Amino acid sequence: MSDLRESAPSLSLGDEAVPQRRQLVTEIPGPRSRALHERKKAAVADGVGTTLPVYVERAGGGVIVDVDGNSLIDFGSGIAVVNVGNANPRVAARVQAQVAQFTHTCFMVTPYDGYVEVCEALARLTPGDHAKKSALFNSGAEAVENAVKIARVATGRDAVVVFDHAYHGRTNLTMAMTAKSMPYKHGFGPFAGEVYRAPMSYPFREAAPITGEQAAQRAISIIEKQVGADEVACVVIEPIQGEGGFVVPAKGFLPTLAAWCRENGVVFVADEIQTGFARTGSMFACDDEGVVPDLITTAKGIAGGLPLAAVTGRAELMDAVHVGGLGGTYGGNPVACAAALGAIEAIESDHLAERAQHIGEVMLERLHTLAAEHPQIGDVRGRGAMVAIELVTPGTTDPDPAEAGRISAACHQQGVVTLTCGTFGNVLRFLPPLVISDELLTEGLDVIAAAVAGR
Ligand SMILES: *Cc1c(COP(=O)(O)O)cnc(C)c1O
């Protein structure tokens, strides 16, 4: 492991700005955060929730510093966004230069090279060596919507197939594609039509052991019977599900689905919005089994925190859409593109995919040990720096969301930012920035272990 540590010289980046330590100087949240939270309650719609109402002053490396002077270990990365760390120097320098040059012209009016350069990088980095093109957008949901638009035009078909536990966003079409009702869909219908849901491969929750190939055949059979293969424009899937509970499908599931898509003229869309950009230990999660999607959606980790998203895919599919059919006022904003180029440079130069593998090894080993001691941990899973534990009633697979909430809250009180997820709300997920130091990573895991044991 020490060689991996040496291969990550980036760990000093950002350390100057934000001391890399956990330090609590008030209760959590502190008085300044509480005062700000009162203002939030008065001015911000209640529908916009907050996981942990400590108000941030600065952040970098693996640390978030709040307005009361508390330093918290970041195991959330703003939901898998700041893979390169907050205010990464490479991102900050490029953003500062771009902001001083020009901030917006609209790429559809008078273009600029940053947009083109990001699309060139996406063609190079995404799976497959076929001719690829990209279009840039502002949010993950917008990228997913556009992937569906492209697949529909390219195939002349309507149906969209998604999976149990899927999360694809909060716009009308992506709400239809998202599985979970509360809080994402409840009361917000009617939803877009022609969206069909197939069973996922969720090894921990299979009634009987089933291979990835068998799980894929189960989904394919339902698609063929209930939708019809020649009606399907696209199959959209997260290679490891994010909000749905960090569900890692059994090996063979994704390649079998992708092969079926190829045989049936269906566009295979990998939603790598949460898994992308080195998070899972390779540049994209599809790389793990050599799956080559026809279209791939990216956002979150792409730009070090600035809003940017993309659809990248086979040139002939991308070009099926008429001129003017794709775009948006801000899509591929020059400042966001500058940030993306800085983030991509950091991921590649600082070997952050290898770093994610190392983080995964450390986390999985520790969490497996913890699970052996604490029967409420029903499953430990994940890949790279995308790892979760699923909390259950001991001896069963009955979800225990209260226990997940209790552990997460206990971590927050000790200055570790953790998130929950899952269809049943019983999954505790860990997404540290890939530039976190080994010391902070271990300390964060110590806090989690104490919180689990604290029942
Ligand atoms: C977060 C997420 C989205 C939606 O992205 P937004 O930028 O929040 O619109 C879509 N798909 C996946 C897999 C995500 O994790």
Side-chain angles (χ1 to χ4, degrees), residues 139-141 167-169 238 271 273-274 300:
S139 70
Y167 182 85
H168 297 293
E238 301 153 86
D271 180 349
I273 288 167
Q274 190 152 162
K300 295 197 166 90

Side-chain angles (χ1 to χ4, degrees), residues 241-253:
Q241 290 183 320
E243 308 303 300
F246 281 26
V247 178
V248 186
K251 287 255 183 279
F253 182 72

